[in-house]
Structure formats: structure tokens, C-alpha cells
Amino acid sequence: MGAGGTLRLPRLREVENGANGVHSKWHDHFAEVPDVLKVPGREQTIVRVLDIEIGGDDFVTMAGPCSVETEFQLMATANHVRRAGARVLRGGAFKPRSSPYSFQGLGLEGLKMLAHARQETGLAIVTEAMSECDVPMVADYADILQIGSRSMENYALLEAAARTGKPILLKRGMVATIADFLRAAQIVLDNGNPNIILCERGIRTFETAMRNTFDVAGIVLLKLISHLPVIADPSHASGSRDLVPALSRVAVAAGADGLLVEVHPNPDKAWSDAEQTLSFDDFDEMMASLDPFIALRATRLPALDRERAMETVG
Ligand code: PEP
Ligand code: MN
């Protein structure tokens, strides 16, 4: 803190440089994916969904259960996360699972419940499409199509999803490099869809204590080199609910444009990903703890009036 309680911020020159064009080293490294990179004169992509802007000044939280289970579970969660400040409801109706014997999702019935939740709450809906055959049906109900980690390199799925024109939430493959990730984004762009949200959700490393390793440097790099919005999924990145709030704060500090978080009325009884799912109280606490980080984030946006932002955190 400076004199008079004013928080002094670093100048963050690297972010400003990023806005003016990317260092040639990165252009060389990512030469295969020219259209996803920042270049002078190319604007930041802002993905518009209902009245929500992802990639702009707002920090957008997407929250909800791993899987859609019942009308009660989904509606209780939707109402709760909306009141706590989420703008988008997540929930899988088609579930890619690590075990073939785990719950695979409610399919169409789950999509209908999601659409009903949107109607009741005004939240936008993000849900996964697992195969190109399901894309038209999922697109009929979803506002944002999620491409899961296990599907990131399924180019037939990416092409079908891109051609719907719906915003695409593209999750990083669990063994994908940043270049692999951006290649998948380039496929979506090549199929005429510029509305892409990149999602860092952890990668496989030699670490075993956590489900995945949260690649925070990946978020920093993506924000530096790409004009696409970047969000973080601390739930799948860690696999443990007690790590999720801290990783969310780290994601905001790293420059993420939003979060994707798993929340359930009774997390221990969740049909999938119970251990990483937050309760309503956990979620409220996490959202409250994010506020000062989100205020600080505003000061990093070059377009924003720094004086005004400083007042927010002063
Ligand atoms: C999910 O979001 O529920 C999911 C299955 O995530 P991922 O594809 O990142 O494993
Ligand atoms: Mn999950």
C-alpha cells in the first residue's frame, strides 16, 4: 500500500506491449495459427452471448453442476449462482467420462432442463457437444457450445460446432501444448466462426496429488499473444474443492476473462466430479473473495481509465 492507503500497481508493460502487437519470437513459434494471434490493428475478440460480453471489460463467471441431474438440482443451482453473480449456467447433458461405467449424462432431457433454467433465470447456457452428430441438437438448446478436453483435437466435431455460428467454449486438451490448443482454435476460425472462448482446465503432468496441473503461465501467454477471450476452469484443473477458490483468484490475477466453476446443492452427492464441486456457501465465499482481484484486473485493461480503476481499489 502507498501513502494514504492507495494500492500502487506495477506498470504491467508486458500487457501493454501485447496490445500493440506480439513479440516476433511468439509469431515465429505460433506461425501455423496466424489468425488467433494479436497483430497491430486486430481488435480483441469480444464474444457476445445474450447481453453478456466475454473478453471485454466484464469478468464473467460461468457456474453450475458438472452434470445435469434433476430439475430440482439444476434450478436450485441456477438460482443460487445467479444471485451470487454468475452470468452463465454450466451443466453437462452429454458427459465425456474417464470411466466407461460412470454416469454418461441425461442427453436431450438434460438439454431441455437447461433451456428451462435459462427461461426462468435469464442465465445463458453453456453445455458440451461430444460428437458432430449431437451438434445440431445441442445447438438448439445451448447459447455456448462446449468442446471438452477429450475432444479438442476432434476436428470433425470442431468443424460441425463452428458451422452452427454459436460461440464455442474450447477447452484445452489435457495433453495439448499451447500450439495444439491454438491450432484447434484456428480450425474453428477457418470454419467461419470467430466467437471462440479459450479455456485453460489443467494439463497432465507427473504430479499426482492433483487431478491436473493448472497452467497459469498458459493463461498469461494466451492473453499476451491471442486476441481471443481466455477463461479458467479451476475445478477440473485441481480436482479438489479446497483448491478451487485460490486458483480462481490466481486466474483473475493472471489476466483471465472469466471462470468456469462446478457448483452443486449437495456436492458430496453429485453424480459426477463430486470432490471438485463447490457447495453454495463455498461458491458465495469464493465470489466475495474474487471482488478485489476483479477490481485490480480492471486496472490492467489498457482501454480503461486508470484513474477511475485506481479509485475502485484505493
Ligand atoms: C466438464 O466441463 O464437465 C468437463 C468434462 O471438462 P473437461 O472436458 O475439461 O474434462
Ligand atoms: Mn466435471
Side-chain angles (χ1 to χ4, degrees):
M1 287 288 211
T6 314
L7 191 56
R8 274 209 198 88
L9 294 167
R11 284 193 50 80
L12 295 166
R13 287 194 49 223
E14 72 280 18
V15 174
E16 286 159 12
N17 288 346
N20 294 330
V22 179
H23 194 288
S24 60
K25 168 180 108 169
W26 299 118
H27 269 292
D28 294 344
H29 190 90
F30 295 107
E32 270 188 290
V33 291
D35 300 334
V36 304
L37 299 182
K38 283 179 184 166
V39 293
R42 185 180 286 158
E43 291 187 359
Q44 165 70 27
T45 294
I46 296 180
V47 174
R48 294 185 169 83
V49 186
L50 306 182
D51 64 338
I52 307 160
E53 294 191 345
I54 303 159
D57 289 351
D58 289 345
F59 186 84
V60 177
T61 300
M62 311 183 184
C66 178
S67 311
V68 178
E69 299 169 4
T70 65
E71 190 75 43
F72 169 79
Q73 169 244 22
L74 190 65
M75 285 312 304
T77 310
N79 283 316
H80 189 89
V81 300
R82 183 181 55 78
R83 278 197 297 271
R87 311 287 306 278
V88 180
L89 176 67
R90 62 146 293 146
F94 293 92
K95 292 305 302 174
R97 304 308 309 282
S98 300
S99 162
Y101 307 110
S102 302
F103 174 57
Q104 307 288 315
L106 295 179
L108 179 59
E109 197 192 336
L111 293 177
K112 288 182 177 165
M113 288 184 199
L114 286 164
H116 180 235
R118 172 182 47 217
Q119 200 186 338
E120 294 292 310
T121 62
L123 290 167
I125 300 298
V126 58
T127 194
E128 178 162 353
M130 278 176 60
S131 89
E132 68 255 45
C133 311
D134 297 334
V135 162
M137 187 192 350
V138 178
D140 272 349
Y141 292 90
D143 300 297
I144 305 172
L145 296 181
Q146 179 170 320
I147 303 295
S149 188
R150 291 159 193 78
S151 303
M152 190 207 81
E153 286 181 292
N154 181 344
Y155 283 5
L157 172 61
L158 289 175
E159 287 169 18
R163 286 200 220 100
T164 65
K166 293 258 173 175
I168 305 293
L169 192 159
L170 180 63
K171 290 191 124 189
R172 182 175 178 185
M174 60 186 83
V175 293
T177 64
I178 298 287
D180 297 332
F181 192 18
L182 291 179
R183 259 194 297 274
Q186 179 77 42
I187 297 286
V188 177
L189 278 178
D190 288 347
N191 281 274
N193 191 337
N195 298 307
I196 304 164
I197 305 156
L198 301 172
C199 179
E200 158 56 31
R201 50 77 73 203
I203 49 174
R204 286 256 166 97
T205 66
F206 51 78
E207 178 54 63
T208 54
M210 291 168 286
R211 183 175 181 179
N212 290 291
T213 295
F214 183 43
D215 185 8
V216 69
I219 296 175
V220 176
L221 179 58
L222 288 168
K223 285 300 297 177
L224 186 68
I225 63 175
S226 177
H227 56 87
L228 296 173
V230 179
I231 68 165
D233 172 351
S235 308
H236 293 85
S238 65
S240 293
R241 73 177 70 120
D242 49 358
L243 299 180
V244 169
L247 294 196
S248 297
R249 295 190 289 272
V250 167
V252 183
D257 297 297
L259 291 173
L260 184 72
V261 184
E262 289 184 338
V263 182
H264 190 286
N266 188 354
D268 289 330
K269 296 273 186 253
W271 296 0
S272 54
D273 287 349
E275 319 82 68
Q276 69 195 33
T277 297
L278 300 183
S279 67
F280 291 174
D281 285 350
D282 294 338
F283 185 65
D284 292 351
E285 210 177 294
M286 183 196 87
M287 292 296 275
S289 82
L290 283 179
D291 284 345
F293 289 80
I294 291 170
L296 268 173
R297 170 187 177 272
T299 67
R300 295 172 183 225
L301 296 172
L304 214 84
D305 174 344
R306 279 174 189 267
E307 296 289 357
R308 189 160 50 83
M310 288 296 279
E311 282 166 21
T312 323
V313 297

